[in-house]
């Protein structure tokens, strides 16, 4: 075990007592007997629950589908849960998650994998390069130097999203597109404890942000409010966004053994993302771009669906627009442009229906990254497109999951 | 030639495509079922595409497939919970023996009676609810009504499967009769009285799904303990669907109470007449509906003392709620249970043999479960700052079955005279005026996300969909 218990985050499964009707379906369904009840509440034992979600679809109420990220050592006990009349608010620590990408699989020792609603492949594509994992822990991190910190969004845009370049000098830090690193902000929290680990997807390709250099880039959004819009200052994101060139950062990782791109030249990539969920997509696209520039034949197509509120808030908007259509088919969705109808990624996927369904008939790998709320719409759009094209999405999805061709990282 | 593609049209895990006898029986029954659905199913709904949950197998992955479906095209499957290896009979005289995989000859008549009685309730509720779609308070609620309708239909299939598979010609005749009896039909009514009551409005519907579908939960739980394994497995799967029905009731009443409280607080009013004038249902009326549905439903558990119940238990056909979780000898001989009866004008307890009191045991388990949910409604009142509290009436109140059937008992459990009953019954049970008032609020609201004035929106949508999702597409 590389990380100490105090900073291991657990995605704890909880049941909302205000909505639960105590029908016992979840307890009957749970394959590992993690759910139990008293005369007052149904509760989940954090020590037993494996996050398999077998209980979720049979629950008639939706009360079962609550997941709070908590430090493992502070997981809610059964006794605490038995006493609840309502679900407690999400603890402060995970407020960083808007720009923290959860690792898939078991990359971070002792941590529960994220449990996306759209089931995700638990292994990498067959042709993916073999990743290095867990070379540096929180107890023994590697020190990187900030080589650059640039704002990606317009100066007057509401969200401050930055492109941060970290240099590893001569230290061993190999990476693949889609992997993550861990950052720990210096100092302690209000309780005097060290800050929790935050995960960030790497936005640069395997040969470095600057090709041939031992560096990487991150896409970091400055968190100034939580999901409900309440003012809150994200510890790690503000720390990273405020770093100056020459500052040093403690890094752990690399993490992530599944969310990797295929290496064979004729593999198509269908990428769907919102906001800073674009980081792994940028890494994969840039890797392919460099290969193409070197005239290494790549017959695989790239298709990208990218959502943000406004063009000014879309990271990598400028560089993206410069990529030729024959290299990548880009569809941008903006939900808050004045005088324009709101559009989400699923709308754009639907609009591009025939092209998407054609891609799905071939050797294609799907990557989804961004806010969890996008999953349902995306899955429905894919289902409807398939239906129109005479294909059965549920079985294709299942097949892609099994074949390491369907990857979801949402938060 | 068969017109049924058994694997596609009737998803099942009972090897239907290989069972020629069963296929022949179903081929005869299925057209009659579809005719029944057309005549007695949800009024005016055949063209709608409804966002329904369909089970295609019994695993967690196959259990809940959501999509827009026309109700007549719903795939009424036949499912049993997965088999438990080496399952034993867990109670009664055969305790410890292997569970029966076929019908034991000596128990044939009793098992048939049990299955027919359970099966009769399933189409009955579809019949009772058939006009409600015309007055749904929202698309979300309309979808929930239709989901319940198709699942009740599937539960009928589940019981018919058992009758066809295990009871030969007798079973086929009973299966036909299930489609011939109709709720409220004076000549050919449903077997149990509560299933002949009208469900005229949505407040009654929510009460029905909270209280009467909860009776289903307890009956199915008791049958899920049966030594006849196919019945046990069938009921175990049905229970997972029954939970949704109870959810519709519990959350429905909760939303009605919440909306009433909002309006009371907004205008600073408490008087029921003033509350009604604002187009929401006053709390005393909700309480009277509660009293009615609670008392009618607890009659469903049967007489307080029953030799049939003792026989069913002794022979291993029908257990208690959570039989295997109970810490006793599961034989119950020589054990006693305390019942209430009327003596010298007052309610008193008396001790009777436990085996003869098993209906009462199940009724008391049911009451405990019901009361807990009513407590959750009271949390809504409490949070809204209202002092009014909902209560379940005494179990002797308004009974038509068992020892209290000819008695007049107040909701508080006092034996009273007929005159006192008549003078106060309007305070305790819904009057014609109450029902007329509630009926006056019923108007169809079908714009996505919109709710009728008398009910609050649900806290979450179905299957993570937003509340303003197109749950029903009207074609």
């Amino acid at each position: 075990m590389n990380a100490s218990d105090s900073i291991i985050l657990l995605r704890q499964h909880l049941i909302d007592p205000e909505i639960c009707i105590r029908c016992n379906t979840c307890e009957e369904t749970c394959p590992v007997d993690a759910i139990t009840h008293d005369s007052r509440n149904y509760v989940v034992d954090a020590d037993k629950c494996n996050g398999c979600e077998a209980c979720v679809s049979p629950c008639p109420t939706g009360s079962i589908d609550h997941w709070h990220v908590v430090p493992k050592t502070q997981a809610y006990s059964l006794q605490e849960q038995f006493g609840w009349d309502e679900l407690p608010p999400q603890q402060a620590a995970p407020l960083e998650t808007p720009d923290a990408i959860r690792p898939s699989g078991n990359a971070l020792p002792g941590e529960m994998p994220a449990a996306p609603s759209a089931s995700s492949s638990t292994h990498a594509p067959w042709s993916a390069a073999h990743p290095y994992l867990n070379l540096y822990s929180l107890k023994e991190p590697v020190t990187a130097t900030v080589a650059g910190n640039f704002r990606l969004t317009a100066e007057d845009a509401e969200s401050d999203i930055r492109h941060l370049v970290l240099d590893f000098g001569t230290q061993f830090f190999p990476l693949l597109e889609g992997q993550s690193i861990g950052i720990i902000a210096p100092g302690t929290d209000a309780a005097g404890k060290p800050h929790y680990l935050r995960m960030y997807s790497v936005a640069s390709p395997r040969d470095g942000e600057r090709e041939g250099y031992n560096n990487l880039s991150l896409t970091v959004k400055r968190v100034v409010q939580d999901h409900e819009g309440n003012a809150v200052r994200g510890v790690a994101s503000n720390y990273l966004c405020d770093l100056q060139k020459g500052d040093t950062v403690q890094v752990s990782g690399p993490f992530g053994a599944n969310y990797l791109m295929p290496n064979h030249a004729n593999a198509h990539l269908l990428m769907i993302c919102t906001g800073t969920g674009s980081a792994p997509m940028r890494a994969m696209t840039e890797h392919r771009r460099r290969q193409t520039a070197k005239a290494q034949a790549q017959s695989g197509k790239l298709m990208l669906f990218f959502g943000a509120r406004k063009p000014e808030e879309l990271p990598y908007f400028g560089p993206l627009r410069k990529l030729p259509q024959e290299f990548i088919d880009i569809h941008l969705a903006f939900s808050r442009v004045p005088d324009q109808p709101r559009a989400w990624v699923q709308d754009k996927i639907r609009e591009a229906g025939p092209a998407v369904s054609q891609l799905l008939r071939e050797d294609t790998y799907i990557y989804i990254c961004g806010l969890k709320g996008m999953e349902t719409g995306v899955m429905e759009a894919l289902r409807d497109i398939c239906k129109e094209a005479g294909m059965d999405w549920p079985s294709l999805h299942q097949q892609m999951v099994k074949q390491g061709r369907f990857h979801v990282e949402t938060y | 030639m068969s017109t049924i593609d058994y694997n596609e049209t009737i998803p099942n895990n009972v090897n239907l495509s290989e069972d020629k006898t069963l296929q022949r029986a179903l081929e005869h029954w299925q057209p009659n079922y579809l005719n029944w659905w057309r005549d007695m199913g949800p009024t005016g709904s055949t063209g709608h595409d409804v966002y329904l949950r369909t089970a295609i197998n019994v695993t967690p992955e196959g259990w809940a497939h959501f999509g827009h479906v026309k109700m007549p095209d719903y795939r009424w499957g036949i499912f049993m919970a997965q088999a438990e290896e080496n399952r034993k009979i867990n109670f009664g005289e055969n305790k410890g023996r292997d569970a029966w995989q076929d019908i034991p000859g000596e128990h044939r008549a009793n098992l048939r009676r049990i299955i027919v009685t359970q099966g009769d309730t399933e189409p009955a509720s579809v019949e009772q609810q058939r006009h409600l779609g015309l007055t749904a308070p929202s698309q979300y609620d309309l979808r929930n009504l239709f989901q319940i309708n198709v699942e009740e239909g599937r539960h009928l299939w589940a019981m018919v499967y058992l009758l066809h598979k295990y009871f030969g010609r007798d079973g086929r005749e009973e299966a036909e009769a299930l489609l011939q009896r109709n709720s409220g039909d004076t000549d050919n009514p449903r077997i149990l009285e509560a299933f002949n009551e009208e469900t005229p409005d949505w407040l009654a519907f929510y009460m029905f799904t909270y209280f009467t579908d909860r009776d289903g939960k307890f009956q199915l739980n008791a049958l899920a303990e049966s030594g006849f394994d196919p019945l046990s497995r069938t009921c175990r799967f049905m229970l997972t669907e029954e939970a949704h029905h109870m959810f519709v009731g519990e959350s429905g009443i909760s939303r009605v109470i919440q909306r009433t409280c909002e309006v009371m607080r907004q205008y600073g009013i408490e008087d029921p007449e003033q509350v009604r004038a604002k187009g929401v249902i006053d709390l005393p009326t909700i309480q009277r509906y509660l009293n009615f549905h609670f008392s009618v439903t607890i009659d469903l558990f049967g007489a307080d003392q029953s030799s049939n119940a003792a026989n069913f238990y002794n022979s291993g056909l029908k257990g208690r709620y959570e039989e295997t979780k109970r810490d006793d000898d599961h034989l119950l001989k020589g054990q006693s249970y305390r019942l209430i009866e009327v003596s010298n004008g007052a309610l008193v307890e008396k001790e009777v043999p436990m085996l003869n009191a098993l209906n009462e045991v199940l009724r008391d388990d049911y009451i405990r479960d019901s009361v807990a949910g009513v407590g959750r409604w009271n949390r809504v009142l409490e949070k809204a700052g209202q002092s009014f509290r909902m209560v379940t009436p005494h179990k002797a109140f308004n009974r038509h079955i068992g020892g209290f059937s000819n008695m007049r008992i107040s909701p508080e459990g006092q034996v009273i005279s007929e005159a006192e009953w008549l003078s106060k019954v309007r305070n305790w049970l819904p009057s014609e005026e109450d029902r007329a008032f509630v009926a006056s609020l019923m108007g169809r609201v079908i714009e996505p996300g919109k709710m009728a004035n008398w009910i609050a929106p649900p806290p979450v949508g179905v299957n993570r969909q937003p509340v303003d999702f197109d749950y029903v597409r009207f074609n």
Side-chain angles (χ1 to χ4, degrees):
Chain A
M1 189 153 166
N2 293 331
S4 70
D5 277 352
S6 63
I7 45 75
I8 291 174
L9 295 181
L10 179 74
R11 196 162 177 272
Q12 186 173 7
H13 183 194
L14 300 171
I15 298 174
D16 185 341
E18 283 194 292
I19 297 177
C20 171
I21 62 162
R22 285 77 173 163
C23 66
N24 204 55
T25 306
C26 54
E27 191 174 319
E28 279 293 319
T29 314
C30 178
V32 294
D33 292 332
I35 299 178
T36 182
H37 70 276
D38 68 358
S39 58
R40 184 183 174 104
N41 283 339
Y42 273 72
V43 298
V44 187
D45 189 336
D47 290 336
K48 291 182 182 170
C49 177
N50 60 6
C52 71
E53 297 204 70
C55 56
V56 171
S57 65
C59 170
T61 70
S63 62
I64 195 99
D65 200 10
H66 289 273
W67 306 84
H68 282 201
V69 181
V70 294
K72 191 177 179 190
T73 50
Q74 292 169 32
Y76 294 109
S77 69
L78 294 181
Q79 283 315 312
E80 279 174 281
Q81 296 177 61
F82 280 136
W84 288 346
D85 280 327
E86 51 194 69
L87 211 56
Q90 169 72 68
Q91 291 180 10
L95 290 175
E96 285 291 297
T97 52
D99 53 7
I101 306 297
R102 315 291 303 154
S104 56
N106 295 316
L108 190 61
E111 187 183 49
M112 298 281 295
S117 58
S119 52
S120 180
S121 294
T122 52
H123 54 271
W126 66 268
S127 64
H130 186 72
Y132 281 88
L133 296 168
N134 309 318
L135 295 173
Y136 301 94
S137 68
L138 280 156
K139 278 184 183 166
E140 294 178 44
V142 61
T143 303
T145 307
V146 177
N149 184 349
F150 313 100
R151 184 168 168 131
L152 290 168
T153 44
E155 280 306 321
D156 55 347
E158 206 177 306
S159 49
D160 178 9
I161 301 181
R162 288 174 174 271
H163 184 70
L164 200 73
V165 182
L166 302 181
D167 192 280
F168 291 87
T170 55
Q171 300 167 107
F172 184 58
F173 202 87
L175 269 171
L176 289 173
E177 303 79 13
Q179 283 197 291
S180 312
I181 62 167
I183 298 280
I184 188 160
T188 55
D189 63 16
K193 292 182 176 172
H195 290 301
Y196 310 115
L197 173 81
R198 268 78 176 190
M199 306 286 292
Y200 291 88
S201 273
V202 171
S204 50
R206 62 190 73 184
D207 46 5
E209 170 62 23
R210 185 175 175 192
E211 193 174 358
Y213 283 72
N214 190 17
N215 60 14
L216 61 79
S217 61
L218 302 176
T219 315
V220 183
K221 180 180 176 185
R222 188 188 292 277
V223 174
V224 289
Q225 59 183 24
D226 63 14
H227 282 301
E228 277 77 47
N230 304 315
V232 65
R233 195 176 154 80
V235 173
S237 70
N238 280 281
Y239 161 66
L240 287 173
C241 288
D242 291 340
L243 285 171
Q244 302 293 314
K245 192 174 174 183
D247 288 346
T248 56
V249 188
Q250 302 298 301
V251 176
S252 60
F255 302 124
N258 310 328
Y259 200 99
L260 303 176
M261 67 185 292
N263 254 355
H264 57 295
N266 52 348
H268 308 312
L269 306 187
L270 174 54
M271 300 173 281
I272 304 163
C273 61
T274 56
T276 54
S278 59
M281 315 311 182
R282 185 206 178 245
M284 293 180 193
T285 306
E286 181 61 10
H287 178 60
R288 278 284 179 93
R289 194 193 64 77
R290 288 180 188 179
Q291 284 181 305
T292 307
K294 288 175 194 160
Q296 293 171 348
Q298 297 290 313
S299 59
K301 295 173 191 150
L302 301 182
M303 190 179 230
L304 173 69
F305 294 90
F306 193 172
R309 290 187 296 189
K310 300 170 185 169
E312 303 81 52
E313 295 186 5
L314 190 113
Y316 308 114
F317 182 66
L320 271 178
R321 303 286 293 224
K322 290 180 192 151
L323 294 171
Q325 163 80 20
E326 58 274 17
F327 170 68
I328 182 169
D329 184 8
I330 299 176
H331 302 257
L332 304 178
F334 301 112
S335 61
R336 300 275 175 83
V337 177
D339 307 325
Q340 273 189 28
R342 291 181 169 204
W344 283 268
V345 282
Q346 57 264 37
D347 302 324
K348 295 293 169 185
I349 295 172
R350 281 202 164 85
E351 281 172 21
V356 175
S357 59
Q358 183 54 41
L359 214 56
L360 291 177
R361 290 182 196 280
E362 300 175 20
D363 186 15
T364 295
Y365 295 74
I366 297 184
Y367 298 85
I368 301 173
C369 191
L371 291 171
K372 189 165 182 62
M374 73 193 279
E375 277 181 41
T376 306
V378 167
M379 293 296 280
E380 282 180 359
L382 292 172
R383 181 197 64 195
D384 293 348
I385 286 166
C386 283
K387 200 174 174 187
E388 269 176 35
M391 299 154 74
D392 181 38
W393 170 245
S395 59
L396 176 62
H397 172 227
Q398 215 168 9
Q399 192 187 346
M400 293 183 86
V401 167
K402 273 189 190 160
Q403 294 174 347
R405 293 165 55 209
F406 189 86
H407 295 274
V408 183
E409 280 191 349
T410 53
Y411 41 87
Chain B
M1 193 177 140
S2 167
T3 54
I4 305 169
D5 175 349
Y6 290 100
N7 289 324
E8 273 304 307
T9 314
I10 311 177
N12 69 88
N13 65 347
V14 296
N15 201 22
L16 184 56
S17 59
E18 302 295 313
D19 190 336
K20 298 293 175 210
T21 314
L22 188 57
Q23 282 178 31
R24 276 196 295 277
L26 271 178
E27 276 166 24
H28 184 70
W29 188 80
Q30 200 211 26
N32 292 339
Y33 171 79
L34 291 174
N35 286 340
W36 167 82
W37 181 267
R38 195 189 59 220
D39 295 342
M40 302 302 289
T43 309
S45 64
T46 47
H48 303 346
D49 288 318
V50 187
Y51 189 65
L52 292 176
R53 178 183 68 179
T54 305
I56 57 168
N57 63 54
V58 298
T59 65
E61 294 78 38
W63 198 87
H65 278 238
F66 283 88
H68 283 89
V69 182
K70 284 190 176 34
M71 277 190 291
D73 301 334
Y74 180 77
R75 301 199 295 162
W76 283 284
I78 302 175
F79 293 114
M80 290 180 163
Q82 280 158 323
E84 197 180 301
E85 218 170 301
N86 300 321
R87 182 167 175 266
K88 304 290 180 196
I89 299 168
N90 294 311
F91 57 93
E93 287 160 354
N94 295 305
K95 182 171 172 268
R97 294 188 182 158
D98 286 343
W100 302 300
Q101 297 306 324
D102 214 333
I103 298 271
E106 68 271 33
H107 301 315
R108 187 180 174 84
N110 278 341
L111 268 172
R112 192 177 75 193
R113 180 173 166 187
I114 288 172
I115 292 168
V116 166
T117 307
Q118 180 62 43
D120 193 70
T121 66
E122 312 292 358
S125 45
V126 177
E127 293 164 357
Q128 287 171 295
Q129 296 155 10
R130 64 187 303 253
H131 300 302
L132 285 177
L134 304 176
T135 55
S138 73
Q139 259 201 34
Y140 165 90
D141 289 281
L142 183 60
R143 177 261 162 209
N144 280 343
L145 168 73
F146 289 155
Q147 181 73 49
I148 290 174
N149 288 160
V150 291
E151 285 174 355
E152 298 291 7
R154 207 200 65 73
H155 291 182
L156 171 62
W157 278 69
M159 292 295 120
V160 165
Y161 161 73
L162 293 175
L163 291 169
H164 279 175
K165 173 79 181 173
Y166 297 99
F167 293 89
R169 186 175 170 178
D170 291 353
R172 292 195 293 277
E173 285 173 2
E174 292 285 14
E176 283 301 319
L178 286 172
L179 297 175
Q180 284 155 10
R181 284 186 292 270
N182 289 144
S183 176
D185 184 330
T186 44
D187 297 327
N188 204 0
R190 291 292 171 188
I191 296 169
L192 301 172
E193 192 180 327
F195 291 92
N196 288 304
E197 297 284 354
E198 281 187 19
T199 309
D201 58 62
W202 278 76
L203 184 59
F205 171 64
Y206 294 135
M207 289 292 178
F208 182 99
T209 43
Y210 181 81
F211 286 111
T212 312
D213 281 314
R214 189 173 306 272
D215 160 72
K217 167 184 169 179
F218 279 80
Q219 298 293 354
L220 290 174
N221 257 300
L223 295 176
E225 301 287 349
S226 178
F228 178 43
D229 202 41
L231 175 61
S232 163
R233 289 174 57 200
T234 301
C235 291
R236 270 186 275 152
F237 187 73
M238 287 166 70
L239 273 166
T240 56
E241 291 173 327
E242 205 69 30
H244 170 256
H245 309 182
M246 291 187 296
F247 162 69
V248 170
E250 179 163 336
S251 59
I253 298 294
S254 186
R255 290 162 53 210
V256 174
I257 293 174
Q258 191 187 325
R259 178 65 188 141
T260 302
C261 290
E262 277 168 16
V263 169
M264 288 170 74
R265 193 155 59 174
Q266 184 184 349
Y267 295 99
I269 49 175
E270 284 193 1
D271 177 61
E273 285 309 316
Q274 286 180 307
V275 172
R276 285 185 175 197
K278 297 293 178 194
V280 296
I281 306 172
D282 56 292
L283 300 174
T285 298
I286 299 172
Q287 175 67 59
R288 288 193 284 274
Y289 268 67
L290 185 164
N291 289 347
F292 174 77
H293 284 271
F294 176 81
S295 57
V296 165
T297 302
I298 59 175
D299 268 346
L300 287 171
F301 291 87
D304 3 8
Q305 291 197 67
S306 162
S307 54
N308 272 336
N311 286 338
F312 292 168
Y313 188 86
N314 263 338
S315 48
L317 304 183
K318 182 178 178 183
R320 289 169 294 172
Y321 174 64
E322 298 193 326
E323 180 72 46
T324 42
K325 293 183 185 169
R326 294 185 189 231
D327 194 16
D328 58 27
D329 68 357
H330 304 281
L331 299 173
L332 310 180
K333 286 182 177 159
Q335 296 186 39
S336 60
Y337 195 74
R338 296 178 84 81
L339 298 182
I340 300 170
E341 65 172 14
V342 176
S343 172
N344 297 326
L347 296 177
V348 294
E349 284 196 338
K350 74 165 178 180
E351 214 155 89
V352 299
M354 172 85 86
L355 275 171
N356 284 31
L358 286 174
N359 283 346
E360 198 67 13
V361 172
L362 194 58
R363 182 169 16 244
D364 287 342
D365 289 334
Y366 166 86
I367 290 173
R368 267 189 291 280
D369 203 50
S370 293
V371 169
V374 173
R376 292 192 288 277
W377 293 338
N378 283 333
R379 285 264 309 149
V380 177
L381 290 163
E382 201 179 306
K383 277 178 83 171
Q386 295 294 333
S387 55
F388 193 100
R389 294 289 178 269
M390 299 289 163
V391 286
T392 47
H394 194 277
K395 72 173 174 180
F397 170 75
N398 191 38
R399 294 288 302 279
H400 299 281
I401 302 270
F404 305 115
S405 54
N406 296 317
M407 305 282 167
R408 292 303 191 189
I409 317 273
S410 72
E412 294 77 31
Q414 301 299 317
V415 182
I416 56 172
S417 67
E418 180 71 14
E420 189 177 357
W421 171 267
L422 289 174
S423 70
K424 291 183 176 164
V425 68
R426 289 174 60 85
N427 299 332
W428 296 335
L429 291 172
S431 63
E432 284 309 307
E433 288 79 1
D434 288 338
R435 293 195 184 278
F437 167 70
V438 175
S440 75
L441 299 180
M442 299 294 121
R444 199 178 202 196
V445 177
I446 54 171
E447 197 181 328
K450 288 269 181 290
M451 299 288 136
N453 179 56
W454 53 271
I455 190 164
V460 286
V462 177
N463 187 34
R464 304 174 196 239
Q465 299 293 359
V467 173
D468 63 359
F469 180 72
D470 275 340
Y471 289 108
V472 182
R473 293 176 186 154
F474 303 90
N475 297 313

